[in-house]
Amino acid sequence: MPSLTRTEAHRRSELLTVTSMAVDLDLDQGEQTFGSRSRISFDCAEPGATTFVDVLPVELTAVVLNGRALDAAALVDGRVELADLEATNVLEVEATMAYSRDGQGLHRAVDPADGEHYVYGHLFLDAAPRVFACFDQPDLKAPYAVTVAAPEGWLVLGNGAATKVSPGRWELAQTRPLATYFVTVCAGPYASVLDEHDGIPLGIHARASLRTHLEREAGQMLEVTRASFDYYHSLFGIRYPFGEYHQVFVPEFNAGAMENPGCVTFRDTMVFRGAAARDEVLARTNTIAHEMAHMWFGDLVTMQWWDDLWLNESFAEYMAHRTCVAATEFTDAWVDSTVARKAWGYAAERTPSTHPVAGSAAPDAQAALQDFDGISYAKGAATLRQLIAHIGDDAFIAGVGDYLRRHSYGNGTLADFMGFMERASGQSLTDWSAAWLLTAGVDVISVDRADGAVERTVPARFPADRPHTMDVAGFTGGAEVFRVPVTITADRTVVEALRDAPAADLVVPNAADLTWATVTLDPESVAAVPTALATVPDVQARAVVWIALVDGVCLGTVDPRVLVRTFGHAWPVEDNDSVLSRTSLALLGRIIPTFLPPAEQGWAEGVVAACAEQVLAAAPPGSTRALVAARTVARASSDETLLRAWAAAKDRPAGLEEDSDFGWIAVRNLAARGLVDEDFVEGRRSDDDTLQGRLNALMARAAMPSADAKAWAWTELTDNRSRSNYELNALAQGFWLADDLAVVRPYAERYFTDVPAMTEWVGEDAMARVATLAYPGRVVEEATVERSEAALGGGGLSAGVRRSMVDAESQLREALRSRAIFG
């Protein structure tokens, strides 16, 4: 199916106004297909004109336009032409649709824990035609009336309040105007916890096998939900407009969550089966606040076209962190943003595919999908913080409220939004917008100690004059010896207070992390950081330094050994859960296996394991600190006796005795080292025969270093068309975990033919993730880059696979450059 182009969407929106959508889904036709009937009422501004409707069926049964039957065989590439339109039209389409296994459209999953089936709709970005016929673009919004037939015993949820009107028959209340990609139906024997707040009915739902965990976790999630509603109501002055508010935790979900009005869907790994670290609860809290922010930014007012997706994601990203700090216990949410979200965004900035926050070309819907990344989220949020610093928070909130009220139930653009910001602030933002929103790239910020100057290096590829409101702080001997607020508007700004500041061991630009910039530490600070970072009293500044070191390693300006030595000194005394968790994952996941030469990787893993053992021994039993440390030991340790005991649920740290997910970390480590066989993994799987248990078993089997194990895993990944999106991810994640590259090196070449071919049966959203995870980035050799270049130059790649390959190759080049510079 060709992706809808911006030109086509513009023409269709000029012609049509959709007045109502009626959708009937029959989910009681078996496990492979479902019935779909659509009745679309719409007006045409040019009677006699021709347009098309989008539909992707297994079988198109009937198409009737204004009582006139059209030839169902006229379906071509997911489109049916509609000719001779009248001023007022009714289109009726009946079709048989296929359930998906890739997380797009109407996904159906089976829970092995009890054999129950679950269905959910994920219609983002252009998957709605897989479920019902529609005009699939964000600016043709309409009210939806949905009816559903489902097996008796299933619960049905959707955008409108659901009422069971007869056995197996459900009606959903007609909605406010929605874009097609927001429509969802969730159906199955879901377990539920219900509540009400401020007149809004609330529900939290998950698979029946997760009922105990759901009921344990629901109190905290509902508390966050209530606090977020109160905060947004007071901030925007606009009540939540979509009736009931359900949050459904669904299996095998591609995204973290999706902001369907009235029925938000989340990946169900957020209903924690075992112990949860505080940073994991923070991340879930942030996601709940993020998706609720979308009820206003995205749902009430929707972007007109995908090039303004920042109006959705940047705002939800910013508002979620703001809400966590203002309305929940997680007052350190911006620290988590630094080490988790901004690290993701800075990595995206380093790739050739970097793009502006707003105004990306997005010639078609699939091209737009590639820009749902750390730039649209994390950089966009940081840019909004800079906008607030520029115009003031009062003007920002006033402008936001005016924008939302003016465009309620419609669509908005960058120009619309900035117009309201200008009116609220009384100043022109043309130059500011051009620099921060419409120009790609990230500035480098550093300090010249001798002159007390803050230096801004603008990327040559994307020159822009970005002002930065930030600070610079100095630390010595466990104390903050100075902090100087600065606003820089030039490439070199001498700051008198900085020039006169006391000497410091460690000088940190952007210490409060107020702006978006690559922080480069001066040579004296780099020399001091391995031992000095441990004594810095400000957690936000420590987070900035950690990310500066990771950026420096990736840019080839910091020896990766400096990062390992810093970890050895600073990690054991770190008291922030997000910093503890994210830094250990960064070292074990990428820095050690790709930037260090193979001969030094064992040493570095030993440093990480020793630090984690030290923390675990001293941490209060059952604490987050102990949990993060135990997981890190399980990932990094080479102690076979310890790992076997933990894998078998013996002698585990307090609170982890029955934690299956913890046990799988040890199993995976053993498997990757070739210390256990398939029977061992199968035994653990039989003890945990759940969705998550089966995924962990797949990952462990794929990690085994034998030639036979790799051949099996590669065939399952690239040839088995029955595998779900999550199963493909698990196989890809485990495959490259091999100390001996000889066993996986042949597949570095096969990747470039075998993986792109999977687009024949895997949807683009899922395929992009698989292509990233399966990329041979651990084969850090020039030959891998050469093969990658050849594949990218040969054409024939889908947009998602191409973007994944470009970004992964960029990361591979970073590792090669580092090894060339530092040995």
Side-chain angles (χ1 to χ4, degrees), residues 481-613:
V481 295
F482 70 82
R483 187 176 293 260
V484 178
V486 296
T487 296
I488 59 173
T489 56
D491 291 345
R492 182 177 177 85
T493 304
V494 176
V495 182
E496 188 172 333
L498 188 58
R499 184 181 58 204
D500 298 337
D505 293 340
L506 184 60
V507 174
V508 185
N510 194 31
D513 203 13
L514 299 176
T515 194
W516 180 265
T518 298
V519 168
T520 297
L521 301 177
D522 63 85
E524 295 94 328
S525 293
V526 172
V529 74
T531 55
L533 182 58
T535 67
V536 171
D538 177 16
V539 63
Q540 184 65 75
R542 295 198 304 272
V544 168
V545 172
W546 277 115
I547 298 308
L549 292 175
V550 171
D551 277 347
V553 169
C554 294
L555 292 167
T557 60
V558 174
D559 189 330
R561 298 164 188 83
V562 170
L563 186 54
V564 176
R565 290 195 294 270
T566 303
F567 188 95
H569 288 285
W571 202 81
V573 296
E574 178 57 58
D575 61 7
N576 180 271
D577 306 317
S578 296
V579 175
L580 274 173
S581 179
R582 297 295 176 168
T583 52
S584 60
L585 290 173
L587 261 73
L588 293 174
R590 185 178 178 215
I591 299 298
I592 292 172
T594 63
F595 285 89
L596 286 174
E600 296 182 51
Q601 291 175 11
W603 157 76
E605 288 178 353
V607 170
V608 174
C611 289
E613 290 164 0

Side-chain angles (χ1 to χ4, degrees), residues 11 14-16 43-51 84-87 89:
R11 174 56 182 159
E14 282 184 330
L15 278 179
L16 307 184
D43 297 336
C44 178
E46 301 175 19
T50 297
T51 189
D84 298 322
L85 294 175
E86 299 176 9
N89 303 270

Side-chain angles (χ1 to χ4, degrees), residues 750-797:
R750 290 183 61 178
Y751 167 91
F752 297 102
T753 54
D754 295 358
V755 171
M758 294 168 63
T759 55
E760 184 178 335
W761 69 92
V762 180
E764 191 77 342
D765 195 11
M767 191 63 228
R769 179 68 173 157
V770 173
T772 296
L773 292 172
Y775 189 87
R778 292 202 175 198
V779 185
V780 186
E781 299 170 355
E782 290 291 346
T784 310
V785 171
E786 292 169 1
R787 294 183 181 112
S788 191
E789 288 178 330
L792 288 167
L797 300 175

